[in-house]
Amino acid sequence: MTTAAKPLARRHAEEHEDLRQFIMHDPLPRGKMNAMAMESMHATSPIFWVVTAVLAAIVVFALGYEWYILIMKGQGTAGVTRPDYWGVFLVNTVFWIGISHAGTFISAILRVLKIESRRPFTRAAELMTTFGLVQAGLSIFMHLGRVWLVYWMFPIPNERQIWPDFHSPLMWDLMAITTYLLCSTMYLFLPLIPDLAMARDRTQGGWLKPFYKILALGFRGTEGEWKNLVTAMNIFAFAIIPVMFSVHTIVSWDFAMASRPGWSSTVFGPYFVIGALHSGMAAVAIVLFLLRSTMKYYDYFIRAEQFNTIGTLMLLVSMAWAYFYFNDYLVPWYGGDVWDKLVQEYTEKGSLAYLWYTMLIVNIAVPWATLWNKKWRETPWLLAIVGLLINVGMYLERYIIIPVGVTINRMPFTWRQYEPRIEIPMTIGTFALFLLLYMIASRIIPLIPVWEVQEGQEAHLIRKIGKAEISTLSEME
Amino acid sequence: MSESITLLAMFHDIEPASEGVEKLQQFGLDDDDMNVISGIPIKHSILGRPAAITYVSRIGLFGAILGMFLGIFFIYGIPYLYPLLVGGQPIFPIPQGFIITFEMTMLGLMGFSFIGMFVDSGFPSYTPKQYTPEISDGKVALLFSCPAGEQEKFVDALKEAGAESVAPVEARHL
Amino acid sequence: MATELEMPGVKNQGIEEGPVGVWGMVIDQDLCTGCQACVAACSMENNVPIVGEEDANYGRYMHWIRIERLWESTEFPEVKMTSFQPMLCQQCHNAPCEPVCPVYASVHSVSEDLNLQVYNRCVGTRYCGNNCPYQVRAFNWWDYQDERIHPELVTLHNQMNPDVTVRRRGVMEKCTFCIQRIHKAEDKAKSEGREIEDGEFTTACAQACPASAITFGRLDDPESQINQLAEANPSRGFHALEEVRTLPRITYLRGGV
């Protein structure tokens, strides 16, 4: 007879969880990490140049030239019509703003929550934010009928005796996206300063030396400079979180304020924020996989634990997204408004119903089937594929809300299905531009915030309590 | 008053650096004559130093107030100057007031915190400074100025505390 | 006679223009034959561009008024048609297209209670088009009237109305209740020191309709023809999409024999 209440595990050869698999417990001398970051910036293979050339060509022809045609000929080259006044350009805008939320989530929310595994990839995520917002801004400009007059939307003193109308959700958009773009760029730059100082110290000549010298601002690392920098970073980390929530909420209000069936839903605010996080986290998984596979030495910095963190977040956010989507689905399904039901019917049974089914499968079924398994989460290529599928699903979600939802309205005589035309090459162009900007950035600035990694490594200790090795984190800030 | 000389002591880690600071304080060196330069931020209490004063949060708060007034101007000042009736909505709308004021307040807070960091640290500054590149490689440097004749005892004390090198340092372009 | 915008503390009270006339319409769907004379007349009066068959098929027709034909059942031969529905800008009092324009291109006229579309101000965000529950707004997808692009339309330009702007690409347009005619009549009445008489002028669509299905007039004049029509047909009158509560200025009459 045993005294234990439940049978104990027999002592077979236990997997000794080696704490050194975590980057915080696997420190290298700072000089070595600096050298790794700098060398991965300069080790450029011929494939890099080929890919860059292809991307640049796509940007010039698919984006630049087609946009020129769009401006000179008019919005008729796009697929928009009555009643589908808004089309793929708006889908792109919402999609790119969604991608941009991931950066802020990782660099701000994970920082506030003190999740240490974030340290190696905060800058890579923050770059996604900045470049994603650039694409969003371009996409909204593409959609304007008279884009050369867009400055009329800016609230600056003018001689026209008329200012923009802040009753309009589009003006709230302008204020919110401008705030978010400026603030996330500043938040990208602040932790970059010490790494630029490191790059300045390690670069002897060439055109990059004055670039680093100017941008490093003369940073040395004195107590006063660190205090100012860390205070500013803390203010940003706390303040940019409500801005992040407000930006995508305001973008969702472009649709919720409209009196269209299917759009005028009160759940759109939080639904879009969660949707943004969903696609953003998934995009981070793809970017981390690409960085780890293509950049030299990045398998030291980006390890299984980073993918595990992202994978867990992706699973949680997909559950939250499913919750909000069910909310948005249930209310019109239950009845009441005949027009809301018609929109739903068209989405589920119309000619584009396959988009809806695909969206549900990749947004809910795929993450729920794969991301619960830790081993799978820690496999980079698998997580990247799941991330890619989720991004496809989220793009389809916005496509269903905007061009498909807008087809059904209260005047059945006007119903007409939208077909994207010039939007297709221009969308491909924005993706190419995003990748191109990222690739150029990877050559110019170190993508790993090495000082933050070292800061974390200094604070982590392995302590032996009893027979086990326990990880401890000291509050050194 | 004899002229003072500026020395730079290099330590390979935080512990010996804090020992070095204590040694200098024992010699009666004023805290203002010392500065610790490092590759990561080190809390002042770890080094045994007084906290650095930062004005960044105050400047940020000032910016937040400016931003708030800008937001209020946008949403209520503009319709006051150029009133136009739209869609049965009041000329001075309240919900939009919350939205615009919030965004502009946050922009002011963060923008001025950013500028405040520049202003408070004296950035950008490209004049010659006392620095060695080893600091960004993880070493901790103790920069101090002491009377010219007495540097021997400082050098010995710091070497005893674990300094890798103590030498006079020239201001150079970074 | 003029309206003053009564708002405490507002500096520019200068929104007084001309005599007050709240303009409205009554459209009798039982009289409408679907001949589309109103569509043609409106297009000629307001320089509405011709878009061509392909674009019109895709939904890009520019007509400011359209005759909607709807069926009650789709099983041939049991097809029952409803009355023709002329659909044009309802000039809503609470127009949903107005607050969503970021540049004040769609504003409300206080003195005439009309929804104004300011072509010069429009930057083409098309939010107003999305927000209109009646989908009566037309967007200039191309430069339809530019003779450098469409040289074949040059002779058609001779019939254009000089009182109405010609719109370029990227600008939203919609029915204005023939505001050029309204202003002409208001100016004439002002110079003669009187109010506009009912029936002194009318819109192009009302003028062209052979069945007299469209009647235009002043809603604030109890003796005007449209008020008399509305009073004479209490059971047949309704507002389009009443549940959206845009308070439109057009009353439809339908349901009689």
Side-chain angles (χ1 to χ4, degrees), chain A residues 76 78-82 85 146 165 168 254 259-260 416, chain C residues 58 60-61 100 102 120 122-123 126-127 130-131 137 141 169:
Chain A
V80 278
T81 177
R82 181 200 326 223
Y85 292 99
R146 294 206 290 175
D165 182 8
S168 167
D254 284 344
S259 64
R260 287 264 192 172
R416 195 161 275 97
Chain C
Y58 191 49
R60 290 176 174 173
Y61 53 89
V100 293
N120 284 343
C122 177
V123 288
R126 309 194 289 284
Y127 203 156
N130 263 336
N131 224 17
R137 281 171 160 274
W141 305 104
R169 70 181 188 280

PDB file of all heavy atoms in Angstrom, chain A residues 76 78-82 85 146 165 168 254 259-260 416, chain C residues 58 60-61 100 102 120 122-123 126-127 130-131 137 141 169:
ATOM      1  N   GLY A  76     -11.675  54.750 -62.798  1.00  0.00           N
ATOM      2  CA  GLY A  76     -12.304  53.767 -63.672  1.00  0.00           C
ATOM      3  C   GLY A  76     -11.415  52.593 -64.001  1.00  0.00           C
ATOM      4  O   GLY A  76     -11.897  51.500 -64.315  1.00  0.00           O
ATOM      5  N   ALA A  78      -9.746  51.082 -61.857  1.00  0.00           N
ATOM      6  CA  ALA A  78      -9.956  50.130 -60.768  1.00  0.00           C
ATOM      7  C   ALA A  78     -11.316  49.470 -60.953  1.00  0.00           C
ATOM      8  O   ALA A  78     -12.076  49.835 -61.834  1.00  0.00           O
ATOM      9  CB  ALA A  78      -9.887  50.846 -59.419  1.00  0.00           C
ATOM     10  N   GLY A  79     -11.613  48.511 -60.112  1.00  0.00           N
ATOM     11  CA  GLY A  79     -12.852  47.745 -60.300  1.00  0.00           C
ATOM     12  C   GLY A  79     -14.038  48.306 -59.556  1.00  0.00           C
ATOM     13  O   GLY A  79     -15.089  47.675 -59.476  1.00  0.00           O
ATOM     14  N   VAL A  80     -13.890  49.492 -58.978  1.00  0.00           N
ATOM     15  CA  VAL A  80     -14.960  50.032 -58.147  1.00  0.00           C
ATOM     16  C   VAL A  80     -16.069  50.584 -59.021  1.00  0.00           C
ATOM     17  O   VAL A  80     -15.862  51.023 -60.146  1.00  0.00           O
ATOM     18  CB  VAL A  80     -14.425  51.132 -57.201  1.00  0.00           C
ATOM     19  CG1 VAL A  80     -13.801  50.503 -55.983  1.00  0.00           C
ATOM     20  CG2 VAL A  80     -13.422  52.020 -57.895  1.00  0.00           C
ATOM     21  N   THR A  81     -17.276  50.537 -58.488  1.00  0.00           N
ATOM     22  CA  THR A  81     -18.445  50.981 -59.230  1.00  0.00           C
ATOM     23  C   THR A  81     -19.529  51.314 -58.224  1.00  0.00           C
ATOM     24  O   THR A  81     -19.308  51.302 -57.028  1.00  0.00           O
ATOM     25  CB  THR A  81     -18.898  49.876 -60.195  1.00  0.00           C
ATOM     26  OG1 THR A  81     -20.069  50.301 -60.863  1.00  0.00           O
ATOM     27  CG2 THR A  81     -19.224  48.588 -59.451  1.00  0.00           C
ATOM     28  N   ARG A  82     -20.731  51.606 -58.723  1.00  0.00           N
ATOM     29  CA  ARG A  82     -21.856  51.745 -57.824  1.00  0.00           C
ATOM     30  C   ARG A  82     -22.456  50.356 -57.700  1.00  0.00           C
ATOM     31  O   ARG A  82     -22.776  49.742 -58.723  1.00  0.00           O
ATOM     32  CB  ARG A  82     -22.865  52.722 -58.428  1.00  0.00           C
ATOM     33  CG  ARG A  82     -24.051  52.957 -57.551  1.00  0.00           C
ATOM     34  CD  ARG A  82     -25.259  53.518 -58.287  1.00  0.00           C
ATOM     35  NE  ARG A  82     -24.984  54.409 -59.365  1.00  0.00           N
ATOM     36  CZ  ARG A  82     -25.653  55.553 -59.582  1.00  0.00           C
ATOM     37  NH1 ARG A  82     -26.566  55.937 -58.727  1.00  0.00           N
ATOM     38  NH2 ARG A  82     -25.396  56.285 -60.635  1.00  0.00           N
ATOM     39  N   TYR A  85     -18.376  51.196 -53.993  1.00  0.00           N
ATOM     40  CA  TYR A  85     -17.507  52.368 -54.090  1.00  0.00           C
ATOM     41  C   TYR A  85     -16.148  52.129 -53.474  1.00  0.00           C
ATOM     42  O   TYR A  85     -15.192  52.806 -53.810  1.00  0.00           O
ATOM     43  CB  TYR A  85     -18.154  53.568 -53.380  1.00  0.00           C
ATOM     44  CG  TYR A  85     -19.397  54.081 -54.065  1.00  0.00           C
ATOM     45  CD1 TYR A  85     -20.654  53.720 -53.616  1.00  0.00           C
ATOM     46  CD2 TYR A  85     -19.312  54.937 -55.148  1.00  0.00           C
ATOM     47  CE1 TYR A  85     -21.801  54.193 -54.231  1.00  0.00           C
ATOM     48  CE2 TYR A  85     -20.451  55.417 -55.771  1.00  0.00           C
ATOM     49  CZ  TYR A  85     -21.677  55.036 -55.309  1.00  0.00           C
ATOM     50  OH  TYR A  85     -22.809  55.498 -55.907  1.00  0.00           O
ATOM     51  N   ARG A 146      -9.265  62.197 -56.274  1.00  0.00           N
ATOM     52  CA  ARG A 146      -8.414  63.318 -56.672  1.00  0.00           C
ATOM     53  C   ARG A 146      -7.282  63.418 -55.656  1.00  0.00           C
ATOM     54  O   ARG A 146      -7.270  64.285 -54.805  1.00  0.00           O
ATOM     55  CB  ARG A 146      -9.216  64.620 -56.718  1.00  0.00           C
ATOM     56  CG  ARG A 146     -10.281  64.603 -57.813  1.00  0.00           C
ATOM     57  CD  ARG A 146     -10.634  65.967 -58.311  1.00  0.00           C
ATOM     58  NE  ARG A 146     -11.360  66.778 -57.355  1.00  0.00           N
ATOM     59  CZ  ARG A 146     -11.681  68.043 -57.564  1.00  0.00           C
ATOM     60  NH1 ARG A 146     -11.329  68.620 -58.703  1.00  0.00           N
ATOM     61  NH2 ARG A 146     -12.341  68.737 -56.668  1.00  0.00           N
ATOM     62  N   ASP A 165     -13.445  68.364 -42.144  1.00  0.00           N
ATOM     63  CA  ASP A 165     -14.631  68.099 -41.332  1.00  0.00           C
ATOM     64  C   ASP A 165     -14.339  66.962 -40.364  1.00  0.00           C
ATOM     65  O   ASP A 165     -14.224  65.816 -40.764  1.00  0.00           O
ATOM     66  CB  ASP A 165     -15.778  67.710 -42.259  1.00  0.00           C
ATOM     67  CG  ASP A 165     -17.071  67.460 -41.508  1.00  0.00           C
ATOM     68  OD1 ASP A 165     -17.119  67.727 -40.288  1.00  0.00           O
ATOM     69  OD2 ASP A 165     -18.025  67.018 -42.142  1.00  0.00           O
ATOM     70  N   SER A 168     -16.237  63.517 -39.768  1.00  0.00           N
ATOM     71  CA  SER A 168     -16.085  62.349 -40.622  1.00  0.00           C
ATOM     72  C   SER A 168     -15.110  61.336 -40.040  1.00  0.00           C
ATOM     73  O   SER A 168     -14.037  61.727 -39.582  1.00  0.00           O
ATOM     74  CB  SER A 168     -15.558  62.800 -41.986  1.00  0.00           C
ATOM     75  OG  SER A 168     -15.122  61.696 -42.719  1.00  0.00           O
ATOM     76  N   ASP A 254     -14.734  53.527 -39.764  1.00  0.00           N
ATOM     77  CA  ASP A 254     -15.028  53.893 -41.148  1.00  0.00           C
ATOM     78  C   ASP A 254     -16.195  53.068 -41.659  1.00  0.00           C
ATOM     79  O   ASP A 254     -16.987  53.522 -42.478  1.00  0.00           O
ATOM     80  CB  ASP A 254     -13.826  53.599 -42.062  1.00  0.00           C
ATOM     81  CG  ASP A 254     -12.739  54.623 -41.904  1.00  0.00           C
ATOM     82  OD1 ASP A 254     -13.004  55.687 -41.348  1.00  0.00           O
ATOM     83  OD2 ASP A 254     -11.617  54.347 -42.362  1.00  0.00           O
ATOM     84  N   SER A 259     -24.112  53.584 -42.875  1.00  0.00           N
ATOM     85  CA  SER A 259     -25.439  53.010 -42.645  1.00  0.00           C
ATOM     86  C   SER A 259     -25.687  51.856 -43.596  1.00  0.00           C
ATOM     87  O   SER A 259     -26.774  51.661 -44.099  1.00  0.00           O
ATOM     88  CB  SER A 259     -26.506  54.088 -42.823  1.00  0.00           C
ATOM     89  OG  SER A 259     -26.496  54.534 -44.153  1.00  0.00           O
ATOM     90  N   ARG A 260     -24.650  51.079 -43.831  1.00  0.00           N
ATOM     91  CA  ARG A 260     -24.778  49.924 -44.721  1.00  0.00           C
ATOM     92  C   ARG A 260     -25.132  48.685 -43.920  1.00  0.00           C
ATOM     93  O   ARG A 260     -24.543  48.461 -42.863  1.00  0.00           O
ATOM     94  CB  ARG A 260     -23.430  49.660 -45.383  1.00  0.00           C
ATOM     95  CG  ARG A 260     -23.057  50.633 -46.429  1.00  0.00           C
ATOM     96  CD  ARG A 260     -23.428  50.076 -47.731  1.00  0.00           C
ATOM     97  NE  ARG A 260     -22.882  50.806 -48.848  1.00  0.00           N
ATOM     98  CZ  ARG A 260     -22.960  50.392 -50.091  1.00  0.00           C
ATOM     99  NH1 ARG A 260     -23.529  49.260 -50.376  1.00  0.00           N
ATOM    100  NH2 ARG A 260     -22.460  51.103 -51.057  1.00  0.00           N
ATOM    101  N   ARG A 416     -24.440  44.720 -57.466  1.00  0.00           N
ATOM    102  CA  ARG A 416     -23.521  44.322 -58.527  1.00  0.00           C
ATOM    103  C   ARG A 416     -22.243  43.829 -57.895  1.00  0.00           C
ATOM    104  O   ARG A 416     -21.777  44.404 -56.920  1.00  0.00           O
ATOM    105  CB  ARG A 416     -23.248  45.525 -59.434  1.00  0.00           C
ATOM    106  CG  ARG A 416     -22.604  45.148 -60.742  1.00  0.00           C
ATOM    107  CD  ARG A 416     -22.779  46.246 -61.769  1.00  0.00           C
ATOM    108  NE  ARG A 416     -24.039  46.160 -62.484  1.00  0.00           N
ATOM    109  CZ  ARG A 416     -25.134  46.854 -62.177  1.00  0.00           C
ATOM    110  NH1 ARG A 416     -25.124  47.674 -61.171  1.00  0.00           N
ATOM    111  NH2 ARG A 416     -26.218  46.743 -62.891  1.00  0.00           N
TER     112      ARG A 416
ATOM    113  N   TYR C  58     -21.582  47.762 -65.922  1.00  0.00           N
ATOM    114  CA  TYR C  58     -20.863  47.443 -64.686  1.00  0.00           C
ATOM    115  C   TYR C  58     -21.373  48.257 -63.515  1.00  0.00           C
ATOM    116  O   TYR C  58     -20.847  48.174 -62.427  1.00  0.00           O
ATOM    117  CB  TYR C  58     -19.359  47.677 -64.918  1.00  0.00           C
ATOM    118  CG  TYR C  58     -18.478  47.140 -63.824  1.00  0.00           C
ATOM    119  CD1 TYR C  58     -18.616  45.850 -63.343  1.00  0.00           C
ATOM    120  CD2 TYR C  58     -17.498  47.938 -63.263  1.00  0.00           C
ATOM    121  CE1 TYR C  58     -17.816  45.367 -62.328  1.00  0.00           C
ATOM    122  CE2 TYR C  58     -16.685  47.460 -62.265  1.00  0.00           C
ATOM    123  CZ  TYR C  58     -16.845  46.179 -61.797  1.00  0.00           C
ATOM    124  OH  TYR C  58     -16.031  45.701 -60.805  1.00  0.00           O
ATOM    125  N   ARG C  60     -21.716  51.694 -63.610  1.00  0.00           N
ATOM    126  CA  ARG C  60     -21.159  53.038 -63.561  1.00  0.00           C
ATOM    127  C   ARG C  60     -21.998  54.063 -64.316  1.00  0.00           C
ATOM    128  O   ARG C  60     -21.506  55.118 -64.674  1.00  0.00           O
ATOM    129  CB  ARG C  60     -19.755  53.021 -64.152  1.00  0.00           C
ATOM    130  CG  ARG C  60     -18.801  52.287 -63.262  1.00  0.00           C
ATOM    131  CD  ARG C  60     -17.458  52.193 -63.909  1.00  0.00           C
ATOM    132  NE  ARG C  60     -16.483  51.608 -62.999  1.00  0.00           N
ATOM    133  CZ  ARG C  60     -15.263  51.288 -63.342  1.00  0.00           C
ATOM    134  NH1 ARG C  60     -14.856  51.482 -64.574  1.00  0.00           N
ATOM    135  NH2 ARG C  60     -14.436  50.766 -62.465  1.00  0.00           N
ATOM    136  N   TYR C  61     -23.274  53.765 -64.551  1.00  0.00           N
ATOM    137  CA  TYR C  61     -24.128  54.761 -65.204  1.00  0.00           C
ATOM    138  C   TYR C  61     -24.162  56.011 -64.328  1.00  0.00           C
ATOM    139  O   TYR C  61     -24.173  55.922 -63.112  1.00  0.00           O
ATOM    140  CB  TYR C  61     -25.542  54.197 -65.390  1.00  0.00           C
ATOM    141  CG  TYR C  61     -26.150  53.658 -64.118  1.00  0.00           C
ATOM    142  CD1 TYR C  61     -26.884  54.469 -63.263  1.00  0.00           C
ATOM    143  CD2 TYR C  61     -25.972  52.322 -63.753  1.00  0.00           C
ATOM    144  CE1 TYR C  61     -27.429  53.978 -62.102  1.00  0.00           C
ATOM    145  CE2 TYR C  61     -26.521  51.825 -62.587  1.00  0.00           C
ATOM    146  CZ  TYR C  61     -27.244  52.662 -61.767  1.00  0.00           C
ATOM    147  OH  TYR C  61     -27.775  52.172 -60.607  1.00  0.00           O
ATOM    148  N   VAL C 100     -19.965  62.296 -43.282  1.00  0.00           N
ATOM    149  CA  VAL C 100     -18.830  61.411 -43.546  1.00  0.00           C
ATOM    150  C   VAL C 100     -17.841  61.987 -44.534  1.00  0.00           C
ATOM    151  O   VAL C 100     -16.792  61.398 -44.767  1.00  0.00           O
ATOM    152  CB  VAL C 100     -19.309  60.038 -44.061  1.00  0.00           C
ATOM    153  CG1 VAL C 100     -20.041  59.312 -42.969  1.00  0.00           C
ATOM    154  CG2 VAL C 100     -20.162  60.201 -45.287  1.00  0.00           C
ATOM    155  N   PRO C 102     -14.829  64.046 -45.508  1.00  0.00           N
ATOM    156  CA  PRO C 102     -13.785  64.673 -44.693  1.00  0.00           C
ATOM    157  C   PRO C 102     -13.469  66.097 -45.084  1.00  0.00           C
ATOM    158  O   PRO C 102     -12.788  66.799 -44.340  1.00  0.00           O
ATOM    159  CB  PRO C 102     -12.569  63.766 -44.931  1.00  0.00           C
ATOM    160  CG  PRO C 102     -12.814  63.152 -46.245  1.00  0.00           C
ATOM    161  CD  PRO C 102     -14.285  63.011 -46.393  1.00  0.00           C
ATOM    162  N   ASN C 120     -16.074  71.330 -56.475  1.00  0.00           N
ATOM    163  CA  ASN C 120     -14.697  71.793 -56.374  1.00  0.00           C
ATOM    164  C   ASN C 120     -13.986  71.259 -55.163  1.00  0.00           C
ATOM    165  O   ASN C 120     -12.779  71.171 -55.133  1.00  0.00           O
ATOM    166  CB  ASN C 120     -14.668  73.326 -56.321  1.00  0.00           C
ATOM    167  CG  ASN C 120     -14.903  73.915 -57.683  1.00  0.00           C
ATOM    168  OD1 ASN C 120     -14.770  73.220 -58.667  1.00  0.00           O
ATOM    169  ND2 ASN C 120     -15.254  75.165 -57.733  1.00  0.00           N
ATOM    170  N   CYS C 122     -14.521  68.264 -53.639  1.00  0.00           N
ATOM    171  CA  CYS C 122     -14.488  66.813 -53.502  1.00  0.00           C
ATOM    172  C   CYS C 122     -13.095  66.268 -53.808  1.00  0.00           C
ATOM    173  O   CYS C 122     -12.496  66.634 -54.828  1.00  0.00           O
ATOM    174  CB  CYS C 122     -15.519  66.218 -54.454  1.00  0.00           C
ATOM    175  SG  CYS C 122     -15.562  64.428 -54.490  1.00  0.00           S
ATOM    176  N   VAL C 123     -12.572  65.406 -52.921  1.00  0.00           N
ATOM    177  CA  VAL C 123     -11.306  64.739 -53.223  1.00  0.00           C
ATOM    178  C   VAL C 123     -11.517  63.274 -53.603  1.00  0.00           C
ATOM    179  O   VAL C 123     -10.554  62.571 -53.851  1.00  0.00           O
ATOM    180  CB  VAL C 123     -10.308  64.791 -52.039  1.00  0.00           C
ATOM    181  CG1 VAL C 123      -9.771  66.159 -51.856  1.00  0.00           C
ATOM    182  CG2 VAL C 123     -10.902  64.260 -50.785  1.00  0.00           C
ATOM    183  N   ARG C 126     -15.298  58.883 -51.690  1.00  0.00           N
ATOM    184  CA  ARG C 126     -16.476  58.063 -52.006  1.00  0.00           C
ATOM    185  C   ARG C 126     -17.149  57.492 -50.758  1.00  0.00           C
ATOM    186  O   ARG C 126     -17.895  56.517 -50.827  1.00  0.00           O
ATOM    187  CB  ARG C 126     -16.143  56.935 -53.000  1.00  0.00           C
ATOM    188  CG  ARG C 126     -15.426  57.446 -54.224  1.00  0.00           C
ATOM    189  CD  ARG C 126     -15.412  56.411 -55.313  1.00  0.00           C
ATOM    190  NE  ARG C 126     -14.548  55.282 -55.031  1.00  0.00           N
ATOM    191  CZ  ARG C 126     -13.241  55.295 -55.117  1.00  0.00           C
ATOM    192  NH1 ARG C 126     -12.616  56.411 -55.448  1.00  0.00           N
ATOM    193  NH2 ARG C 126     -12.533  54.215 -54.867  1.00  0.00           N
ATOM    194  N   TYR C 127     -16.923  58.090 -49.625  1.00  0.00           N
ATOM    195  CA  TYR C 127     -17.622  57.632 -48.418  1.00  0.00           C
ATOM    196  C   TYR C 127     -19.100  57.993 -48.516  1.00  0.00           C
ATOM    197  O   TYR C 127     -19.979  57.261 -48.077  1.00  0.00           O
ATOM    198  CB  TYR C 127     -16.994  58.310 -47.188  1.00  0.00           C
ATOM    199  CG  TYR C 127     -17.198  57.577 -45.884  1.00  0.00           C
ATOM    200  CD1 TYR C 127     -16.313  57.778 -44.842  1.00  0.00           C
ATOM    201  CD2 TYR C 127     -18.255  56.708 -45.660  1.00  0.00           C
ATOM    202  CE1 TYR C 127     -16.463  57.139 -43.628  1.00  0.00           C
ATOM    203  CE2 TYR C 127     -18.428  56.072 -44.441  1.00  0.00           C
ATOM    204  CZ  TYR C 127     -17.524  56.291 -43.432  1.00  0.00           C
ATOM    205  OH  TYR C 127     -17.677  55.662 -42.215  1.00  0.00           O
ATOM    206  N   ASN C 130     -20.982  55.435 -50.407  1.00  0.00           N
ATOM    207  CA  ASN C 130     -21.243  54.239 -49.604  1.00  0.00           C
ATOM    208  C   ASN C 130     -22.349  54.471 -48.614  1.00  0.00           C
ATOM    209  O   ASN C 130     -23.147  53.583 -48.333  1.00  0.00           O
ATOM    210  CB  ASN C 130     -19.986  53.878 -48.806  1.00  0.00           C
ATOM    211  CG  ASN C 130     -19.177  52.830 -49.495  1.00  0.00           C
ATOM    212  OD1 ASN C 130     -19.705  52.065 -50.283  1.00  0.00           O
ATOM    213  ND2 ASN C 130     -17.907  52.797 -49.209  1.00  0.00           N
ATOM    214  N   ASN C 131     -22.391  55.682 -48.051  1.00  0.00           N
ATOM    215  CA  ASN C 131     -23.301  55.911 -46.950  1.00  0.00           C
ATOM    216  C   ASN C 131     -24.715  56.232 -47.382  1.00  0.00           C
ATOM    217  O   ASN C 131     -25.625  56.254 -46.568  1.00  0.00           O
ATOM    218  CB  ASN C 131     -22.757  57.056 -46.067  1.00  0.00           C
ATOM    219  CG  ASN C 131     -22.885  56.720 -44.606  1.00  0.00           C
ATOM    220  OD1 ASN C 131     -23.066  55.583 -44.258  1.00  0.00           O
ATOM    221  ND2 ASN C 131     -22.810  57.735 -43.773  1.00  0.00           N
ATOM    222  N   ARG C 137     -25.833  58.349 -55.570  1.00  0.00           N
ATOM    223  CA  ARG C 137     -24.688  59.193 -55.886  1.00  0.00           C
ATOM    224  C   ARG C 137     -23.869  58.578 -57.010  1.00  0.00           C
ATOM    225  O   ARG C 137     -23.636  57.372 -57.040  1.00  0.00           O
ATOM    226  CB  ARG C 137     -23.836  59.387 -54.643  1.00  0.00           C
ATOM    227  CG  ARG C 137     -24.460  60.427 -53.743  1.00  0.00           C
ATOM    228  CD  ARG C 137     -23.793  60.502 -52.410  1.00  0.00           C
ATOM    229  NE  ARG C 137     -24.086  61.769 -51.769  1.00  0.00           N
ATOM    230  CZ  ARG C 137     -23.393  62.884 -51.963  1.00  0.00           C
ATOM    231  NH1 ARG C 137     -22.357  62.854 -52.763  1.00  0.00           N
ATOM    232  NH2 ARG C 137     -23.716  63.999 -51.366  1.00  0.00           N
ATOM    233  N   TRP C 141     -15.840  58.265 -62.780  1.00  0.00           N
ATOM    234  CA  TRP C 141     -14.746  57.303 -62.790  1.00  0.00           C
ATOM    235  C   TRP C 141     -13.675  57.669 -63.818  1.00  0.00           C
ATOM    236  O   TRP C 141     -12.517  57.288 -63.689  1.00  0.00           O
ATOM    237  CB  TRP C 141     -15.264  55.900 -63.081  1.00  0.00           C
ATOM    238  CG  TRP C 141     -16.354  55.473 -62.132  1.00  0.00           C
ATOM    239  CD1 TRP C 141     -17.688  55.416 -62.395  1.00  0.00           C
ATOM    240  CD2 TRP C 141     -16.202  55.065 -60.774  1.00  0.00           C
ATOM    241  NE1 TRP C 141     -18.373  54.997 -61.281  1.00  0.00           N
ATOM    242  CE2 TRP C 141     -17.483  54.776 -60.273  1.00  0.00           C
ATOM    243  CE3 TRP C 141     -15.098  54.919 -59.928  1.00  0.00           C
ATOM    244  CZ2 TRP C 141     -17.701  54.341 -58.972  1.00  0.00           C
ATOM    245  CZ3 TRP C 141     -15.322  54.483 -58.629  1.00  0.00           C
ATOM    246  CH2 TRP C 141     -16.610  54.200 -58.170  1.00  0.00           C
ATOM    247  N   ARG C 169     -12.845  64.013 -63.631  1.00  0.00           N
ATOM    248  CA  ARG C 169     -12.724  62.719 -62.990  1.00  0.00           C
ATOM    249  C   ARG C 169     -12.414  62.893 -61.506  1.00  0.00           C
ATOM    250  O   ARG C 169     -11.800  63.849 -61.082  1.00  0.00           O
ATOM    251  CB  ARG C 169     -11.613  61.891 -63.637  1.00  0.00           C
ATOM    252  CG  ARG C 169     -10.228  62.390 -63.357  1.00  0.00           C
ATOM    253  CD  ARG C 169      -9.195  61.510 -64.058  1.00  0.00           C
ATOM    254  NE  ARG C 169      -7.840  61.837 -63.662  1.00  0.00           N
ATOM    255  CZ  ARG C 169      -7.127  62.852 -64.135  1.00  0.00           C
ATOM    256  NH1 ARG C 169      -7.666  63.647 -65.038  1.00  0.00           N
ATOM    257  NH2 ARG C 169      -5.899  63.073 -63.709  1.00  0.00           N
TER     258      ARG C 169
END
